[in-house]
Amino acid sequence: MDSIVSRIPWSVPSTAALTDAIRDPKGLFVMLAVVVLVLYGLSVGRTRALVSLLSIYVAYMLAVLFPFLPWIAKKLPESSRSMGAVGLFIVLYALTFIILSRSMLKGRLTLGEISLWQVLVISVVQIGLLASICVSLVPLERGQQLLGPMHRWFGGQYPLWAWAVASLLIMPFMRSRRSRE
């Protein structure tokens, strides 16, 4: 009898897979992009990191439900049609982030003083969720071409679901120091 874990098509890559990713220029670029995004997430701040995480969920929902994507895809050149959904998601994410950052909701989502490791965890989960959403919006071959060996962490429904659930599961642990006292 197979367990559900044995049926999951992706697994944690070995050290050899990570070494191969570093040797591959695309893998090295992806890892460099992750480091830059984590540093950006740390510099953005606690409240904006949470607003950004909420914006990712809202933008993904809007991008998936957007009824005019086939019409827009016809207007794009053939070579960039597969990236049309990703572009739409990024535009919707930016708009949602701006709207939520300027709304009364920002005051409600303030985390106050949380530790550096908590901001780092939020940033890593955001990066994973953003990457997984973007890869899920392009055809499988294109996602594998873009990410190379890192595709197993971000491509497909299982990683997308895992990153989405991980971002929800960390929220109860992201309380400020003041609220614990």
Side-chain angles (χ1 to χ4, degrees):
M1 177 180 238
D2 289 335
S3 71
I4 191 143
V5 176
S6 66
R7 287 185 271 156
I8 294 176
W10 61 280
S11 62
V12 177
S14 65
T15 307
L18 291 174
T19 307
D20 291 342
I22 291 171
R23 288 184 188 145
D24 180 29
K26 291 177 188 174
L28 187 59
F29 178 75
V30 167
M31 292 165 76
L32 179 63
V34 167
V35 169
V36 168
L37 289 173
V38 167
L39 292 174
Y40 172 75
L42 290 173
S43 68
V44 164
R46 299 171 279 271
T47 302
R48 284 196 177 185
L50 193 56
V51 168
S52 176
L53 190 59
L54 181 60
S55 298
I56 293 169
Y57 280 102
V58 172
Y60 183 62
M61 187 240 356
L62 292 174
V64 168
L65 296 176
F66 190 72
F68 305 108
L69 189 59
W71 180 77
I72 291 173
K74 288 179 187 175
K75 304 291 182 189
L76 294 173
E78 187 74 35
S79 62
S80 62
R81 285 189 183 168
S82 66
M83 298 302 281
V86 175
L88 174 67
F89 167 72
I90 291 170
V91 167
L92 289 171
Y93 168 68
L95 290 173
T96 306
F97 181 75
I98 290 168
I99 290 169
L100 291 179
S101 290
R102 297 176 188 257
S103 71
M104 292 178 10
L105 184 63
K106 181 181 174 184
R108 297 269 184 199
L109 293 177
T110 186
L111 290 175
E113 297 177 21
I114 63 172
S115 67
L116 179 65
W117 75 268
Q118 290 172 322
V119 175
L120 184 62
V121 168
I122 289 175
S123 298
V124 168
V125 169
Q126 277 185 41
I127 292 165
L129 185 58
L130 278 171
S132 189
I133 287 172
C134 289
V135 171
S136 74
L137 293 174
V138 297
L140 178 65
E141 301 83 31
R142 181 74 180 219
Q144 289 173 338
Q145 179 186 18
L146 289 172
L147 291 178
M150 300 297 283
H151 186 266
R152 67 172 54 165
W153 285 7
F154 303 105
Q157 291 301 314
Y158 290 112
L160 177 60
W161 183 82
W163 284 109
V165 169
S167 64
L168 292 175
L169 291 177
I170 66 164
M171 285 300 126
F173 302 105
M174 297 296 148
R175 294 182 294 168
S176 68
R177 292 177 189 162
R178 287 185 205 150
S179 67
R180 290 182 194 152
E181 295 174 352

